Amino acid sequence: MRKTEQVSWRRAMHLVVAIVVMSMVLVGVSSCKKQGANGTSSDNKLYLYNWTYYTPDEIIERFEKEYDVDVVVDNFSSNEEMFAKLMAGGGKGYDIIFPSADYTSIMINLGLVEELDHDKLPNLKYISPLVRSKATYDPDMRYSVPYNMGASGVAVNKTKAPEGYARDWSIFEDSRFAKRMSMLDDMREVMGAALKHLGYSVNTVNPEELAQAKALINDKWKPNLVKFDAEGFGKAFSRGEFWVVHGYAENVFEEFPEDKWDEIDFFLPPEGGALSIDNMVVVKGSQHSDMAHEFINFIHRPEIYAIFLDTFRYPAITNTEAGKYTKNKPFYSAEDVNDNFEVLQDLKDDLQLYNDIWQDIRYVN
Amino acid sequence: MSIKDGRRSSERRERRLGVSYAAPMGVWFTVFFIAPLVIIILYSFLKRGLYGGVEWEFSLTAYGQMFNPNFGKVLLRTIWISVVATAFCILLAIPTGYAMARSKHQTLLLFLIIIPFWTNSLIRIYAWISILSTEGFFNEILKSLGIIDEGLHLIYNHGSVILVLIYMYLPFAILPLFTTIDKFDFSLLDAARDLGATKFGAIRLVMLPNIRSGLLTAIVFTFIPIFGAYTVPLLVGGKDSTMIGNIIVDQVSKTRNWPLASAFSMILTLVSTVGVIWMMMSSRKEQAQKKNVTNQQKTEQNILDHHTTGGEA
């Protein structure tokens, strides 16, 4: 009798433990959701969702101080990741998201972003006409404000490379650099480079032009490449393993010792290429819409925008006045971004044309 | 009679306790394994959404797209790399496990095998990159010895992928082999030698059949993760080292074709399932063989059982 009592008591204990564990799991899950989803407007917070390493801490700190607000920054590493989270309902709690041009137009078309109140954004007058002319999906900034416009380029290690290399995309045809070169593992960037080198648009859907671009990459560029790399090329470049890399300036320079930066020749090929514009959009249903407007306006205050430029050594392309306040020399100049550079557009179903070609380039020897 | 009753009720008690013990694990398993698996299966039969995600419409397009010669080549390459890497793992793990089992310093050796797991795998991959690079550790040694003048291209090819995969998964082959070899009765080897077998013959004919289950576990534990490898081919592979794992990531994060990614994940799941079933069937066969003991042993076992249970009561 005593034994059975003990048994049932123990059984009950185990049941309690099991229930506690289960409820902890459930509470954990639901509380995560709560934090993301229901920020009320009175809580003095601002939720940002930006690319990793793309929001200088100094800017956030100064904004927090000036507006007495708590800024929470979440990071994503690709537009697809950000968009998947948004569509799964995990993006509801954010106030400002920083998508690239193609995803900005997608989000505008799907009605995921709020229309901006220009009365609250006086600093929009500093946005350069060039950037606005390139932002064909929203030239009047009704829904989106450009955060940064830039392009990938080519970095050459001058101590390793022989003299007299071409300072354009044809450098990848140069067999003297064979097995010492890498291009981005990014379909639109690489296809864009080839298309521009041939004199076509980065957004073409003409099969003949695309076939020529494929032949150029597969027959002339790829034999000289070690790999298509978007992860480790900066490190390999700084080790001296890769001599010529295609990528974004900051990814190359940040890995290289600063006292040796003059050993790097970084250029944007004059034939042009894929231009990327990252934007700020206010998420539809944002609980802190006013504060979000303040933040966008704050970013484009020229002396604040200069902090952003100095952090990443970008040229002052997006904001017309910020260049007067910068301290560091940018990695490339604003003039390098010539008229040949084109913004990547959302190709909708025609993207499949690119996918098929990219498979032939990436998956087959 | 009272002993029998007590036994039955304690069995029942244990069974009931078993349920509550298993509950947290069961919940964990359902939430983080079964549910995701069901989602993957479901998504692979749906239509792709234009901007990622899926549309709720039945479609076999993803499976159709899989039969593309490009993907076929990647699949063949994945199988080839996995088979070679697994074979090397096993060939290295058998003597290692044998040496460990016969060593006096088992704990120390076991410890040494486990130590690398304390370091994040990504860091270990980057360590290999600095060893294998053209300007890396290995080439510098060869250069300082005067064997070569220019760094060899040891990295960013199939060879480096296989090498790093072997390094990453070798412990998964050593551990199960060590445990089975450790249980093996080494006097059988002496008996075989006495009966005229060569040293190698004794190992091949007597030891290998006896450590079959460990061998199988080692193969399954290495082949399955290698088959689904993603970071190793991404970081140390070259322009043509793409494996299935990389395709899955590309389809989710670049091409926005979630159903196709799910369909490829199904292949990985299928391969793992086949491996696990193979393992389970062979261990069941082994148990059946063990049950099939002689009458003599049965009697001995009965006597033993009787005494031990009597003692407990």
Side-chain angles (χ1 to χ4, degrees):
Chain A
M1 191 57 202
R2 246 184 67 213
K3 219 174 179 181
T4 45
E5 250 179 42
Q6 219 174 359
V7 167
S8 59
W9 181 80
R10 266 172 66 186
R11 203 196 319 151
M13 256 260 292
H14 284 285
L15 215 70
V16 168
V17 170
I19 288 168
V20 167
V21 170
M22 275 195 272
S23 52
M24 267 162 63
V25 169
L26 291 176
V27 167
V29 169
S30 63
S31 74
C32 279
K33 213 173 177 183
K34 216 181 256 169
Q35 260 185 356
N38 306 323
T40 50
S41 48
S42 60
D43 62 359
N44 234 15
K45 284 194 164 175
L46 184 68
Y47 293 93
L48 307 185
Y49 195 27
N50 197 358
W51 294 79
T52 318
Y53 307 123
Y54 208 33
T55 348
D57 292 340
E58 196 188 333
I59 292 181
I60 300 292
E61 280 158 20
R62 287 183 65 163
F63 184 77
E64 285 182 324
K65 226 182 214 169
E66 197 172 321
Y67 288 86
D68 190 29
V69 63
D70 189 13
V71 179
V72 182
V73 185
D74 254 5
N75 296 316
F76 57 86
S77 59
S78 72
N79 281 307
E80 284 76 10
E81 179 191 335
M82 173 274 295
F83 193 74
K85 188 168 178 183
L86 194 66
M87 292 314 272
K92 289 270 160 54
Y94 296 118
D95 300 305
I96 304 177
I97 299 184
F98 297 66
S100 303
D102 48 348
Y103 273 83
T104 306
S105 70
I106 291 171
M107 286 164 74
I108 293 172
N109 290 340
L110 295 181
L112 299 170
V113 297
E114 223 159 68
E115 198 164 340
L116 298 170
D117 183 351
H118 281 216
D119 292 341
K120 294 176 186 164
L121 302 166
N123 289 343
L124 291 192
K125 62 174 181 272
Y126 298 123
I127 306 286
S128 84
L130 173 73
V131 175
R132 292 182 55 180
S133 72
K134 299 277 187 187
T136 46
Y137 48 87
D138 188 19
D140 300 325
M141 299 187 284
R142 279 181 66 196
Y143 300 95
S144 65
V145 174
Y147 180 59
N148 181 43
M149 183 169 90
S152 63
V154 179
V156 181
N157 186 332
K158 284 190 279 187
T159 61
K160 306 272 186 187
E163 287 287 305
Y165 53 82
R167 290 184 95 242
D168 56 39
W169 289 118
S170 69
I171 192 171
F172 291 105
E173 294 171 23
D174 195 335
S175 58
R176 291 176 299 171
F177 299 118
K179 299 211 167 181
R180 294 290 190 175
M181 299 198 283
S182 80
M183 291 190 88
L184 280 176
D185 187 8
D186 185 311
M187 175 173 83
R188 297 294 302 273
E189 287 279 356
V190 175
M191 292 286 290
L195 287 166
K196 273 293 167 187
H197 186 64
L198 296 164
Y200 305 131
S201 160
V202 297
N203 296 311
T204 183
V205 290
N206 178 338
E208 173 53 29
E209 293 175 1
L210 286 168
Q212 284 180 35
K214 174 183 163 182
L216 175 66
I217 297 168
N218 255 348
D219 303 339
K220 291 202 170 149
W221 292 359
K222 203 181 148 190
N224 295 324
L225 300 179
V226 184
K227 67 186 295 187
F228 292 95
D229 189 351
E231 320 286 332
F233 67 93
K235 285 188 176 62
F237 185 79
S238 76
R239 276 202 315 272
E241 174 93 25
F242 295 170
W243 299 347
V244 179
V245 294
H246 165 216
Y248 285 94
E250 63 271 23
N251 295 138
V252 176
F253 284 90
E254 74 187 357
E255 301 284 351
F256 219 78
E258 199 169 338
D259 53 315
K260 289 184 179 168
W261 275 2
D262 50 337
E263 291 177 7
I264 304 176
D265 175 18
F266 185 87
F267 61 89
L268 299 190
E271 309 100 296
L275 197 57
S276 65
I277 303 179
D278 297 311
N279 296 290
M280 295 179 277
V281 296
V282 177
V283 182
K284 185 146 251 175
S286 157
Q287 303 276 327
H288 314 96
S289 177
D290 285 346
M291 196 51 83
H293 278 78
E294 293 286 9
F295 186 84
I296 292 171
N297 198 45
F298 179 80
I299 284 278
H300 278 295
R301 201 184 285 172
E303 63 270 27
I304 298 295
Y305 197 78
I307 299 172
F308 170 71
L309 294 179
D310 271 339
T311 309
F312 298 104
R313 292 182 184 249
Y314 291 134
I317 299 175
T318 312
N319 186 304
T320 50
E321 296 299 302
K324 294 175 185 158
Y325 300 89
T326 53
K327 297 185 199 82
N328 295 334
K329 187 173 170 284
F331 291 135
Y332 58 93
S333 73
E335 292 79 59
D336 289 346
V337 185
N338 61 26
D339 282 345
N340 292 334
F341 282 87
E342 261 182 289
V343 173
L344 292 175
Q345 278 163 13
D346 170 33
L347 296 176
K348 303 207 165 70
D349 278 329
D350 288 329
L351 191 71
Q352 196 54 39
L353 291 169
Y354 282 72
N355 286 338
D356 291 341
I357 289 176
W358 189 239
Q359 274 173 22
D360 285 339
I361 293 169
R362 281 291 281 110
Y363 297 153
V364 189
N365 308 1
Chain B
M1 185 169 151
S2 64
I3 291 171
K4 224 178 182 181
D5 267 6
R7 214 195 219 176
R8 201 180 293 154
S9 81
S10 87
E11 258 173 36
R12 219 183 298 145
R13 187 202 318 154
E14 261 165 39
R15 215 174 295 148
R16 273 198 232 106
L17 277 182
V19 174
S20 50
Y21 279 137
M25 191 62 207
V27 171
W28 181 269
F29 205 61
T30 315
V31 174
F32 295 109
F33 181 74
I34 308 233
L37 195 64
V38 169
I39 292 173
I40 289 174
I41 296 172
L42 196 68
Y43 273 23
S44 72
F45 290 106
L46 293 176
K47 201 174 154 218
R48 73 175 276 211
L50 188 52
Y51 302 121
V54 287
E55 279 170 31
W56 290 92
E57 194 180 309
F58 178 81
S59 158
L60 286 172
T61 323
Y63 289 95
Q65 283 170 335
M66 253 184 2
F67 292 99
N68 168 322
N70 289 341
F71 292 142
K73 277 176 195 160
V74 177
L75 180 64
L76 283 180
R77 183 188 302 144
T78 307
I79 293 172
W80 179 75
I81 288 177
S82 310
V83 167
V84 173
T86 308
F88 271 105
C89 277
I90 302 296
L91 286 178
L92 287 168
I94 293 173
T96 314
Y98 181 81
M100 281 170 68
R102 303 220 79 168
S103 164
K104 286 185 192 126
H105 311 288
Q106 283 191 355
T107 325
L108 174 74
L109 292 174
L110 211 59
F111 191 63
L112 290 178
I113 297 283
I114 291 166
I115 276 184
F117 287 112
W118 294 359
T119 312
N120 179 289
S121 65
L122 219 54
I123 292 172
R124 288 185 282 143
I125 295 174
Y126 271 103
W128 270 105
I129 293 177
S130 51
I131 292 171
L132 294 175
S133 314
T134 318
E135 266 73 29
F137 183 68
F138 189 70
N139 271 311
E140 289 305 317
I141 287 182
L142 288 185
K143 265 189 228 168
S144 66
L145 291 175
I147 298 171
I148 50 167
D149 296 328
E150 273 211 4
L152 304 168
H153 293 286
L154 302 171
I155 194 172
Y156 305 125
N157 50 45
H158 288 347
S160 58
V161 173
I162 292 173
L163 178 69
V164 177
L165 283 172
I166 293 170
Y167 162 78
M168 299 289 282
Y169 295 103
L170 187 57
F172 293 100
I174 292 178
L175 293 176
L177 275 168
F178 160 70
T179 25
T180 37
I181 295 176
D182 195 37
K183 279 187 221 137
F184 175 68
D185 182 358
F186 288 107
S187 60
L188 288 177
L189 284 184
D190 297 331
R193 295 293 305 274
D194 282 347
L195 293 171
T198 59
K199 201 167 185 181
F200 179 70
I203 288 178
R204 191 170 58 90
L205 295 169
V206 178
M207 194 179 89
L208 283 189
N210 273 292
I211 58 164
R212 228 182 86 95
S213 68
L215 212 56
L216 253 170
T217 315
I219 291 173
V220 169
F221 275 23
T222 44
F223 187 84
I224 290 175
I226 289 175
F227 196 73
Y230 159 69
T231 30
V232 174
L234 182 75
L235 293 174
V236 303
K239 57 189 166 190
D240 50 10
S241 307
T242 317
M243 289 170 70
I244 285 194
N246 305 90
I247 291 191
I248 295 175
V249 175
D250 283 356
Q251 295 303 327
V252 176
S253 67
K254 290 178 186 153
T255 321
R256 311 194 290 236
N257 193 343
W258 291 20
L260 185 54
S262 304
F264 274 113
S265 303
M266 291 287 293
I267 294 190
L268 291 188
T269 313
L270 217 65
V271 169
S272 321
T273 315
V274 168
V276 171
I277 288 174
W278 185 35
M279 209 165 78
M280 271 163 42
M281 287 210 334
S282 88
S283 81
R284 196 172 293 165
K285 211 190 277 170
E286 212 162 82
Q287 269 172 357
Q289 271 171 354
K290 272 185 192 151
K291 257 186 198 160
N292 213 358
V293 284
T294 56
N295 277 332
Q296 166 90 30
Q297 278 170 313
K298 239 181 213 164
T299 327
E300 279 171 16
Q301 192 61 42
N302 278 341
I303 297 168
L304 208 69
D305 279 353
H306 182 76
H307 279 277
T308 44
T309 47
E312 258 178 6

